[in-house]
Amino acid sequence: MLTHIRPVAALAGALVLAASLTACGGSSAASDEKVVTVYSADGLKGEAGDGWYDKVFADFEKRTGIKVEYVEGGSGEMVQRALREKSNTQADVLVTLPPFIQQAGSKGLLQAYAPQGSDRVDGADKAPDGTWTSIVNNYFGFIHNKKELPTAPKSWEELLDARYKDRLQYSTPGVAGDGTAVLIKAMHDFGGQAPAMEYLKKLQANNVGPSSSTSKLAPKVDKGELLVANGDVQMNFAQSKSMPNLGIWFPAKGDGKPTTFALPYAAGLVNEAPHAENGRKLLDFLLSEGAQREVSAVGGGFPARKDVKPTDANALALGKLLEGVEVFEPDWADIDENLTAYVDAWKSATGS
């Protein structure tokens, strides 16, 4: 049984190369280039160029003259890409979510670096060995179409109703961070692997099918193609600005309290990064007080630094979303060790 479960998530999708890569594996010429390459899970870059990444990357380039080359994909996908390139490293900074950031560390993809400001990040939100630090805090959640489904479902059990047949979808565990989060939350709420798989087997009758990208589910919910999908608070809150029919909710088990867990975007300096010094400068900038104050106002997320307490309208609205929701802590060491087994059990239960 998964007890004391702490932080998953986001997000998968087709790789998006926002700018052509110029980084080469570790040459002295490359180290002098005014560039830093970031491999990141999606969610922090705005579809209209108005996300937190858009703002802080522009500010960073203006301040330092260092251009950010950005590559986006699913959490697991980004780790696998970095792993394939291990003999010819392309990325300088890796940003992904648990348990994939732990996976990156255990596979030797990260080198120790404590960015300026990381001493203000809660100990549970950074690696004991200094290989990664959370830069944006976040929470797992679900979304519903507020127009066709004005009142959000309250429980997992409600989702088994026939009204949700082919109107419900969640992203793929083991590929998408938020899809993996579905698995983790179900195992927590139902009290272990076996009852969770029994439930997800029943839910499969209503599930549209696999999706490698969580972010692509929100437009389907907004349009009414889906009534319910999984997501995460930061991404869906940001999307709701242009998708007015999105509502965020948190399932409960039966008539119990709704639950969630933290899904921080965690960043680390890639081992043998071709532009390591530029990577350190970017990590310092992402954790600077100014950048952290914009996490809620611009990105719709929660600051990673505990000394930054924004009071903007987004910060107040995000706080209200979590009122009455129980936040549990996943056992990330267990999940990192047993993720393959849990995903295999899900595939077996659902026939995926």
Side-chain angles (χ1 to χ4, degrees):
M1 171 178 172
L2 276 180
T3 58
H4 247 132
I5 290 188
R6 182 166 185 126
V8 140
L11 325 209
L15 291 177
V16 177
L17 183 53
S20 60
L21 296 181
T22 57
C24 301
S27 70
S28 58
S31 66
D32 295 332
E33 290 177 345
K34 299 288 278 185
V35 66
V36 60
T37 299
V38 177
Y39 283 9
S40 178
D42 56 319
L44 294 176
K45 198 171 192 301
E47 294 181 16
D50 55 355
W52 186 68
Y53 270 165
D54 301 285
K55 178 69 165 61
V56 295
F57 288 170
D59 290 347
F60 176 73
E61 184 173 353
K62 184 177 180 180
R63 177 84 58 88
T64 65
I66 298 170
K67 180 176 175 56
V68 178
E69 305 282 15
Y70 178 68
V71 183
E72 179 180 285
S75 285
E77 196 170 11
M78 289 292 86
V79 172
Q80 288 304 310
R81 177 166 177 161
L83 191 60
R84 289 194 303 269
E85 297 171 351
K86 199 171 181 181
S87 62
N88 183 28
T89 306
Q90 301 295 309
D92 301 302
V93 172
L94 177 68
V95 183
T96 186
L97 301 116
F100 300 102
I101 193 66
Q102 288 90 341
Q103 188 180 85
S106 65
K107 293 181 181 298
L109 292 177
L110 304 175
Q111 58 178 294
Y113 177 64
Q116 295 175 24
S118 61
D119 58 323
R120 305 301 179 92
V121 175
D122 189 84
D125 293 329
K126 54 189 177 185
D129 63 0
T131 52
W132 57 265
T133 304
S134 296
I135 56 171
V136 172
N137 280 340
N138 191 17
Y139 296 88
F140 177 63
F142 275 69
I143 48 176
H144 68 106
N145 180 289
K146 294 192 294 185
K147 186 176 180 181
E148 294 193 38
L149 193 67
T151 301
K154 294 192 185 322
S155 69
W156 288 102
E157 289 83 357
E158 283 186 55
L159 299 180
L160 299 176
D161 191 277
R163 73 180 298 189
Y164 296 104
K165 184 171 178 58
D166 296 329
R167 306 289 300 281
L168 174 152
Q169 191 173 18
Y170 62 90
S171 51
T172 307
V175 176
D178 285 329
T180 308
V182 171
L183 208 54
I184 291 171
K185 179 169 155 57
M187 291 172 70
H188 170 270
D189 289 1
F190 284 90
Q193 178 180 319
M197 299 310 161
E198 183 180 347
Y199 169 79
L200 292 171
K201 180 178 181 178
K202 295 175 183 175
L203 185 66
Q204 196 66 11
N206 288 343
N207 186 18
V208 171
S211 172
S212 62
S213 171
T214 310
S215 62
K216 291 181 180 177
L217 299 181
K220 295 180 180 180
V221 174
D222 183 60
K223 294 173 186 174
E225 295 174 24
L226 298 173
L227 292 177
V228 169
N230 69 313
D232 65 76
V233 172
Q234 177 276 324
M235 178 179 68
N236 295 142
F237 187 86
Q239 289 172 318
S240 69
K241 300 304 180 183
S242 60
M243 301 178 194
N245 293 322
L246 292 187
I248 298 172
W249 66 288
F250 307 92
K253 169 69 171 65
D255 57 1
K257 290 185 68 172
T259 68
T260 187
F261 59 99
L263 296 177
Y265 291 88
L269 184 66
V270 177
N271 198 24
E272 304 207 9
H275 312 101
E277 186 56 34
N278 295 346
R280 293 185 187 97
K281 289 178 181 177
L282 179 61
L283 288 169
D284 290 346
F285 192 81
L286 294 174
L287 271 181
S288 66
E289 186 173 347
Q292 287 289 298
R293 288 200 177 280
E294 294 178 322
V295 167
S296 57
V298 178
F302 304 81
R305 284 178 53 155
K306 54 189 177 183
D307 62 323
V308 175
K309 303 184 185 302
T311 57
D312 58 89
N314 283 355
L316 298 177
L318 287 163
K320 285 185 177 298
L321 275 175
L322 293 176
E323 287 180 0
V325 180
E326 178 184 306
V327 179
F328 65 90
E329 297 185 358
D331 181 348
W332 289 113
D334 172 81
I335 295 165
D336 183 35
E337 181 179 351
N338 297 300
L339 180 61
T340 299
Y342 295 148
V343 172
D344 285 346
W346 170 81
K347 289 178 180 177
S348 177
T350 61
S352 300

